[in-house]
Amino acid sequence: MLQLASDNYAPVHPEVMAAIGAANLGAAVSYGDDPVSARLQERATEVFGDQARIFPVLNGTGANVISLMAAAPRWGGVIASDIAHVHTDENGAPERVGGLKVLAAPSVEGRIGPDAVDRYAGDIGNVQRAQPAVLSLTQVTELGTVYSPADLKLLADTAHAAGLRVHLDGSRLANAAATLGVGLREITTDVGVDIVSLGAAKNGGMLGEAVVVLADGVVGARGAGGASAGLVEAVPYLRKATMQLASKTRFVSAQLLALLGEPGTPTSGTGESAPLWLRNAAHSNAMGARLRAGVEAAGLAGTVRITCPTDANVVFATLPCAAADRARAHTRFYDWAPGETADRVEVRWMCAWNTTEADVDGFVRALTDAL
């Protein structure tokens, strides 16, 4: 059965699996003091810049919580989109585990602007309110849209001017870079992001993500974030305290290294010369574009209505509920939200690194039949 429910459904990429196997030869020091993790750190500086420090963790929620806890004091708040994963889909982990209040700001097509910072900056110094300490952005957003480098720089500059640090939830960061035609550094370090939750599982990994510290300086006296410890100092202790430090870290590091590339290899490229993260992301994005184009070319516009831009590997659309249920006999996918009327539903179709052109074309035919 074809899966368009999530890129988490995809299998492990063979190159990642081979890297895990290679890391399994013989003994190695535990808790990240192994040669594979050392090479990963070396590679992180090549990809993100000399100041970058990478800390493998077990999952994306853990990466987000550690990043936010490192960037904010116990009394801090996290400004994020009203549909951000840290706000809607992590079971309150930033609040429950991190003790940080999420300060939701209205989004447009998944994105927020500098007004999100302005909305809460007036609370700085008010003991009655959670103190804004971090701006958290999602790239790619939950609606499949992408922030441009200029958008990110404006947001980061606004946050820093208010004394806030900037966190990027990069579970699909690779897809955003592939869409924009830039490297990972150009939409993180170079635009002023301080700390990143780097995704791997959605882009060919087995399990495991990473926290990447990009800038460790205290950002200013106005914001509550200025009172917290240095990020590089804080993350190792938080990783252990939140149960995200793997004893056999080499197997997480091996996956990240397979995706980013070994030290000394190009950080960008085209075709087979490109690093695996880019090849996988570019392919899943292309399948997302093919799916949207196929739906539009099939003449389904009267009954299937695309609801969001298709910037990456996901298509959102509304269609009759009964047709969606019939199409699910061919392809698994999720309902996202109510449709325009009671008999319609908004759905999400998401492609992955292993989605084929035949998969996409077959689903378009099945969808046409279902309608």
Side-chain angles (χ1 to χ4, degrees), residues 100-122:
L100 303 170
K101 182 172 178 59
V102 176
L103 307 171
S107 59
V108 177
E109 295 181 339
R111 292 176 287 240
I112 56 177
D115 57 313
V117 176
D118 299 336
R119 180 186 184 94
Y120 290 104

Side-chain angles (χ1 to χ4, degrees), residues 8 49 117 127 155 289:
N8 279 321
V117 176
V127 73
L155 282 157

Side-chain angles (χ1 to χ4, degrees), residues 304 317-335 343-349 363 366-367 370-371:
V304 177
T318 62
L319 69 162
C321 298
D325 290 340
R326 286 192 292 271
R328 259 187 282 266
H330 174 79
T331 304
R332 185 182 178 95
F333 56 87
Y334 291 126
D335 292 347
D343 63 339
R344 292 177 64 83
V345 64
E346 186 177 30
V347 300
R348 185 186 78 170
W349 299 317
F363 174 66
L367 182 63
L371 289 160

Side-chain angles (χ1 to χ4, degrees), residues 27-174:
V29 179
S30 57
Y31 299 110
D33 290 328
D34 60 89
V36 180
S37 297
R39 296 204 311 276
L40 175 63
Q41 175 54 57
E42 183 181 349
R43 182 58 170 172
T45 61
E46 294 177 351
V47 173
F48 293 100
D50 290 343
Q51 293 188 30
R53 296 295 178 268
I54 190 166
F55 301 90
V57 296
L58 298 175
N59 54 52
T61 297
N64 282 337
V65 171
I66 290 170
S67 297
L68 297 175
M69 290 177 71
R74 182 64 177 78
W75 57 90
V78 178
I79 301 172
S81 156
D82 55 0
I83 60 168
H85 205 269
V86 296
H87 179 50
T88 63
D89 289 292
E90 294 185 343
N91 197 8
E95 291 91 347
R96 295 173 189 270
V97 179
L100 303 170
K101 182 172 178 59
V102 176
L103 307 171
S107 59
V108 177
E109 295 181 339
R111 292 176 287 240
I112 56 177
D115 57 313
V117 176
D118 299 336
R119 180 186 184 94
Y120 290 104
D123 291 338
I124 294 174
N126 183 347
V127 73
Q128 307 292 344
R129 305 289 177 84
Q131 293 295 285
V134 188
L135 173 65
S136 181
L137 305 169
T138 310
Q139 178 81 307
V140 175
T141 75
E142 287 73 14
L143 293 184
T145 52
V146 169
Y147 289 98
S148 71
D151 292 337
L152 292 169
K153 186 166 192 318
L154 178 59
L155 282 157
D157 288 348
T158 303
H160 289 159
L164 279 62
R165 282 183 166 128
V166 180
H167 163 250
L168 193 69
D169 181 348
S171 62
R172 296 186 178 93
L173 185 65

